[in-house]
Amino acid sequence: MSNILHKIKAYLYDNVLTKDNPNDFTARTISERSLNVKRICQSAVSRGGADISAASMEHATELFLQEMAYQLCDGYSINTGYFTASTTIRGVFDSPSEKFNKDKHSIIFQFNQGEKLRAEIPNIGVDILGLAEASSVILQVTDVKSGSVNDLLTPGKNLKIVGSKIKIMGDDPMRGVYFVNTATQSRTLVEAFDIVVNNPSELIVVIPALPAGSYILEVLTQYTEGSLLKQTRTASLDKLLTVE
């Protein structure tokens, strides 16, 4: 009897991270939508039969998360069973007496799956929907200063963007790399001279002077193999990036 209780869907993309093998692919899951604390608590009541109200659960969850963040900031590690979390220092110290320097070093919070979440993996079925449509895609970004992947942004420093068909080309004045603020929807364009590397599978850009907040990364280009598209297409990273 099958133990599959859940189902996720994915498309295959050319695996640009393994340049020595042109015939392998990577799967990218299709995110149905992003759920916040409120929506999860509502589902816990309507679907899961939770014995308290969604509002009470949301309030308790927010209190828990606030306290968890406080304890992480004091150097404690966290193990909820579903995930573990810890505080990590990034950057090189050149001598035993060197002090922490915010211009050279950074602090990040690292989260990993826990035993209870890992136990759910055998219950998940995967539908591979075949090769994705031949369009631009952003697979991964790395904040070079902090080493953070798909998470933090350091304004004024480099961001490495890995994907497929993301080279900035064409005559559309809207082409380029954009950071879209999720709160204000304001769009900040990376200046052309701040695009350090411009290849089909890799861009390196200097991150603009963005204010603190959450951002969506977009790449607009007319590039395709062999010619230019008549219309600009957009590739978006499916993770939110944060300026602290």
Side-chain angles (χ1 to χ4, degrees):
M1 179 180 292
S2 173
N3 293 323
I4 301 303
L5 301 176
H6 309 282
K7 187 78 72 173
I8 60 177
K9 299 176 182 178
Y11 280 109
L12 296 180
Y13 293 85
D14 180 36
N15 188 1
V16 297
L17 299 177
T18 55
K19 300 182 185 298
D20 58 335
N21 186 351
N23 301 313
D24 62 348
F25 303 91
T26 183
R28 188 185 190 198
T29 57
I30 303 171
S31 178
E32 300 295 338
R33 62 182 182 274
S34 179
L35 300 178
N36 58 19
V37 171
K38 182 175 183 178
R39 290 295 297 271
I40 294 172
C41 292
Q42 289 172 341
S43 178
V45 173
S46 62
R47 183 207 61 80
D51 59 358
I52 62 174
S53 70
S56 297
M57 183 181 294
E58 182 183 0
H59 177 65
T61 301
E62 292 291 356
L63 291 176
F64 167 81
L65 293 174
Q66 289 172 14
E67 185 61 25
M68 182 187 72
Y70 184 94
Q71 299 296 344
L72 277 170
C73 290
D74 272 344
Y76 288 93
S77 59
I78 306 295
N79 186 353
T80 68
Y82 289 93
F83 64 84
T84 61
S86 60
T87 310
T88 301
I89 297 174
R90 292 284 177 87
V92 175
F93 290 79
D94 295 321
S95 73
S97 60
E98 184 176 358
K99 304 298 183 183
F100 180 86
N101 182 344
K102 288 186 176 181
D103 293 328
K104 182 179 178 182
H105 310 113
S106 61
I107 298 171
I108 67 169
F109 299 110
Q110 190 149 357
F111 289 78
N112 293 289
Q113 63 186 5
E115 293 180 4
K116 291 183 178 179
L117 201 54
R118 281 197 299 271
E120 293 295 329
I121 292 176
N123 300 324
I124 302 174
V126 179
D127 283 342
I128 299 296
L129 303 180
L131 285 175
E133 181 183 350
S135 60
S136 303
V137 63
I138 302 172
L139 299 174
Q140 179 178 291
V141 303
T142 303
D143 183 71
V144 175
K145 179 180 185 300
S146 67
S148 174
V149 175
N150 296 340
D151 187 8
L152 299 181
L153 295 171
T154 306
K157 302 300 181 182
N158 286 348
L159 182 72
K160 181 179 178 181
I161 306 168
V162 175
S164 177
K165 299 181 177 68
I166 55 175
K167 185 175 183 178
I168 306 301
M169 289 187 66
D171 54 10
D172 186 338
M174 294 301 294
R175 71 189 184 282
V177 180
Y178 291 84
F179 293 90
V180 184
N181 187 293
T182 58
T184 66
Q185 294 304 304
S186 62
R187 301 171 62 82
T188 302
L189 172 67
V190 175
E191 298 289 347
F193 53 77
D194 280 335
I195 300 177
V196 182
V197 173
N198 188 21
N199 292 327
S201 61
E202 180 184 80
L203 300 174
I204 296 179
V205 304
V206 178
I207 302 169
L210 303 171
S214 296
Y215 292 85
I216 296 171
L217 175 68
E218 292 184 351
V219 171
L220 279 65
T221 182
Q222 291 171 258
Y223 173 80
T224 189
E225 294 178 358
S227 63
L228 291 179
L229 297 170
K230 292 182 179 179
Q231 294 183 329
T232 298
R233 61 186 174 195
T234 302
S236 300
L237 181 68
D238 60 355
K239 306 286 191 303
L240 287 181
L241 303 175
T242 303
V243 176
E244 297 180 333

